[in-house]
Amino acid sequence: MSNNVRPESMARIATPELANAFIDEQLDALRQQIGNKKALLALSGGVDSSVVAALLIRAIGKQLTCVHVNHGLLRKGEPEQVVEVFQNQMNANLVYVDAVERFLQKLENVSDPEQKRKVIGAEFIRVFEEEARKLDDVQFLAQGTIYPDILESGPVKAHHNVGGLPEDLNFELVEPLKFLFKDEVRVVGTALGLPDSMVYRQPFPGPGLGVRCLGAITRARLEALRESDAILREEFAANGLEGKVWQYFTVIPDFKSTGVRDGKRSYDWPVIIRAVNTKDAMTATVEDVPFALLQKITARITTEVPGVNRVLYDLTPKPTGTIEWE
Ligand code: XMP
């Protein structure tokens, strides 16, 4: 474990100059470790895996294969952004796996929150393993492990879901960010040329929208959730709340209520808005969103998102609520 302790001499990476020095050092170390061999990375599009990808693309180019698994539970525009940034702009070797149908089928009628997490995690490993087996002589597995992951959960990044690959896929781990804190990862990501929308994005659970589409996931409710979340994010950005509020999202319950639309009775879903601030996610307070903005978001969601007739604002701090609903 001694090589899992951050060296005391390591300066906090807080400036572009320090980030560039870190990048140069890592490029040398990565080229030395990997040589002319091949590496594989599960690229979710989250901050950590994106920064590892950008670093490795610079170090070893096409010797890296990035696998992006679209499990259908990502936010609107996220899979497209991964393809745009890594394939089109950085010219990476990217395998894009459209696994949407597989995941939704596995999740059909699964309503228990922990069971949903297990199904998503297990299916992720299965899809990633299938892709890994299609590639020849890959010796290295890159991971976006960061220092808090080591401090909290030992050497394997549990929520990256790649800790459970079979023994015969005997990879050597490559973890260039393992001594960095989140703020340092962001500074390095910016120095590597990643867009702010990727580097400064808010936390997003590994199981994604799966834990915000309450109960058993259905395609129609999942789409309503994704669209309402996109509207919320758009309005928060347009009104100066992006970057100010720590985490904000919508949730869709699995019950309906009555309403009226165009003079006719409707029977549709509600959408719940959650917007919270926290330092460490252990406790959280609710953002005091201007009422007029909440009304505007309500009007947009109820007119633009099919199947939704009400919008609610969650006023519950943590405790007693958790940040997520499942
Ligand atoms: P809770 O809901 O426990 O969430 O107050 C605290 C923080 O953790 C995130 N979260 C998750 N992250 N996998 C993750 O990687 C998960 O299953 C998961 N559940 C919650 C949540 O979004 C919040 O930032």
Side-chain angles (χ1 to χ4, degrees):
M1 288 297 277
S2 63
N3 69 341
N4 272 341
V5 179
R6 178 173 165 128
E8 273 181 29
S9 59
M10 203 173 142
R12 191 87 178 196
I13 304 170
T15 63
E17 293 71 31
L18 287 168
N20 285 327
F22 172 84
I23 291 166
D24 287 343
E25 201 177 286
Q26 287 302 318
L27 291 180
D28 283 346
L30 288 166
R31 286 175 186 141
Q32 193 139 13
Q33 185 185 5
I34 300 169
N36 58 8
K37 303 204 174 75
K38 290 182 187 164
L40 181 64
L41 169 74
L43 174 59
S44 67
V47 183
D48 307 336
S49 68
S50 296
V51 174
V52 171
L55 195 55
L56 274 156
I57 290 162
R58 208 179 270 192
I60 61 166
K62 300 245 171 175
Q63 287 163 249
L64 173 75
T65 300
C66 301
V67 176
H68 177 67
V69 178
N70 180 0
H71 50 30
L73 305 169
L74 297 168
R75 287 172 289 200
K76 189 173 181 178
E78 284 185 330
E80 293 82 0
Q81 187 184 36
V82 168
V83 173
E84 171 57 28
V85 169
F86 292 98
Q87 189 164 288
N88 300 351
Q89 293 174 21
M90 295 194 174
N91 196 24
N93 212 344
L94 175 75
V95 177
Y96 170 84
V97 188
D98 180 349
V100 177
E101 286 307 312
R102 271 179 79 156
F103 275 82
L104 293 185
Q105 270 172 27
K106 288 270 173 196
L107 284 163
E108 223 166 274
N109 302 319
V110 182
S111 56
D112 176 72
E114 288 317 309
Q115 193 55 31
K116 281 162 76 174
R117 278 189 170 76
K118 277 192 195 135
V119 169
I120 295 166
E123 194 60 13
F124 183 90
I125 291 170
R126 220 166 286 135
V127 173
F128 186 70
E129 185 200 334
E130 282 172 24
E131 294 305 318
R133 287 192 193 283
K134 289 181 194 164
L135 302 167
D136 287 331
D137 17 285
V138 175
Q139 300 205 3
F140 295 91
L141 180 69
Q143 282 196 176
T145 313
I146 68 171
Y147 204 42
D149 300 322
I150 291 179
L151 297 177
E152 282 158 26
S153 61
V156 174
K157 182 151 190 165
H159 65 262
H160 267 210
N161 295 326
V162 289
L165 290 175
E167 297 259 304
D168 66 310
L169 287 173
N170 196 6
F171 297 122
E172 192 179 316
L173 284 185
V174 178
E175 299 177 301
L177 309 181
K178 74 174 182 178
F179 292 137
L180 302 197
F181 290 98
K182 199 77 174 191
D183 55 309
E184 299 180 292
V185 175
R186 296 192 209 275
V187 179
V188 170
T190 300
L192 285 164
L194 291 173
D196 280 0
S197 57
M198 205 165 231
V199 170
Y200 286 95
R201 62 183 226 171
Q202 52 177 315
F204 187 58
L209 298 181
V211 294
R212 297 175 183 169
C213 189
L214 306 184
I217 296 168
T218 64
R219 282 156 218 261
R221 278 194 309 118
L222 183 59
E223 275 326 299
L225 173 65
R226 201 181 337 260
E227 290 301 321
S228 62
D229 177 71
I231 291 171
L232 179 74
R233 285 194 286 143
E234 203 181 297
E235 288 298 330
F236 268 40
N239 289 279
L241 293 179
E242 188 186 43
K244 173 177 181 274
V245 183
W246 196 80
Q247 194 172 11
Y248 47 93
F249 53 86
T250 59
V251 173
I252 191 160
D254 54 353
F255 58 79
K256 289 183 172 181
S257 75
T258 53
V260 267
R261 196 188 290 277
D262 305 327
K264 284 197 211 101
R265 184 180 182 279
S266 69
Y267 191 52
D268 282 325
W269 301 297
V271 156
I272 300 154
I273 296 173
R274 187 106 172 105
V276 297
N277 294 303
T278 175
K279 282 204 161 58
D280 56 8
M282 300 302 286
T283 62
T285 55
V286 176
E287 172 71 14
D288 189 356
V289 180
F291 198 68
L293 179 57
L294 287 172
Q295 286 176 310
K296 181 173 182 211
I297 295 168
T298 301
R300 280 198 61 190
I301 291 176
T302 51
T303 49
E304 294 174 36
V305 183
V308 174
N309 64 357
R310 284 178 200 265
V311 175
L312 316 175
Y313 188 49
D314 184 354
L315 289 172
T316 320
K318 176 180 180 176
T320 53
T322 46
I323 294 175
E324 302 289 344
W325 270 57
E326 282 191 338

